[in-house]
Structures are given as C-alpha cells and as structure tokens.
Amino acid sequence: QVQLVESGGGLVQAGGSLRLSCAASGIILSANTMNWYRQAPGKQRDLVALISSGGSTNYADSVMGRFLISRDNTKNTVYLQMINMKPEDTAVYYCNTNRYEGSRWREYWGQGTQVTVSS
C-alpha cells in the first residue's frame, strides 16, 4: 500500500525559509515523477514543482528561483526547500505521484502540511 507523508510545514515570516519533506512507503520514489502541489483557501490545487524519475525538475513561474525540489533515494523522501517566502505562498502543500497499475493510472496524495507566511 502506497503512503505519502508530508512534514515540515509551519508558520514563517516573509523572507524566511522552510523545508518540506514527503516520506514514501510502498513505492520507490526514484522510479516515479514526484510532484508538490499547493492549495490556498478558496483556490484550486496548483502544481508547484516536480522531479522526474530521471532527476529533471520543473517549477511554477511563481516559485522559480525560490523553491528547490530534491530527492534522497536512500531515504525514499522528496523535499521542497522554500526560501525568500512570500505571504502568497500560504497554502496547504501536498505531495503527489501517479503510478500505472494494471490498466489505469492511479493517483496518490499525502495528507498535506500547512504553510503560513506572515507579512
């Protein structure tokens, strides 16, 4: 059974930093594209960053140059390092992956971790 568990959220002042972690079980992260999404109150869930199985990364324009996604294969964990944070980064952050099982793609989500940036 696949489980994704996020941690590392909290309250930070504008300009500060946080590092989120997504620990996985039941799946090998390095074999899958891993995504970080975020959802602010009243808004849709948006893709923030991804890292492919080959290690390529991609970022939303709003976080480019401030967020860094990385992966530790020995710990089967994906990270999202956030620096120079802004109040608009406030959201619940979710770890996600999709895996082809049998004849269909299946989505896996963590429970989310709250990030609040005060001005």
Side-chain angles (χ1 to χ4, degrees), residues 59-80:
Y59 299 91
D61 289 344
S62 59
V63 306
M64 187 78 71
R66 300 187 299 117
F67 289 13
L68 179 69
I69 188 170
S70 62
R71 184 178 65 211
D72 185 334
N73 296 337
T74 64
K75 296 182 179 179
N76 211 32
T77 299
V78 174
Y79 302 98
L80 186 68

Side-chain angles (χ1 to χ4, degrees), residues 4-113:
L4 303 175
V5 179
E6 301 99 334
S7 61
L11 175 64
V12 64
Q13 288 188 331
S17 303
L18 279 177
R19 189 178 78 158
L20 306 182
S21 299
C22 171
S25 58
I27 190 169
I28 300 174
L29 295 188
S30 60
N32 296 273
T33 294
M34 299 301 301
N35 307 300
W36 282 101
Y37 281 81
R38 68 185 181 187
Q39 187 168 22
K43 295 189 177 181
Q44 67 181 21
R45 192 173 294 190
D46 292 326
L47 180 64
V48 174
L50 67 86
I51 183 166
S52 72
S53 57
S56 299
T57 58
N58 206 353
Y59 299 91
D61 289 344
S62 59
V63 306
M64 187 78 71
R66 300 187 299 117
F67 289 13
L68 179 69
I69 188 170
S70 62
R71 184 178 65 211
D72 185 334
N73 296 337
T74 64
K75 296 182 179 179
N76 211 32
T77 299
V78 174
Y79 302 98
L80 186 68
Q81 177 70 52
M82 305 181 289
I83 65 170
N84 191 21
M85 298 184 72
K86 303 176 181 180
E88 50 263 43
D89 295 323
T90 295
V92 178
Y93 284 70
Y94 298 92
C95 181
N96 158 265
T97 192
N98 305 288
R99 189 170 68 175
Y100 195 74
E101 298 178 355
S103 60
R104 65 185 181 95
W105 284 95
R106 184 168 178 180
E107 290 186 333
Y108 294 97
W109 294 89
Q111 82 287 355
T113 185

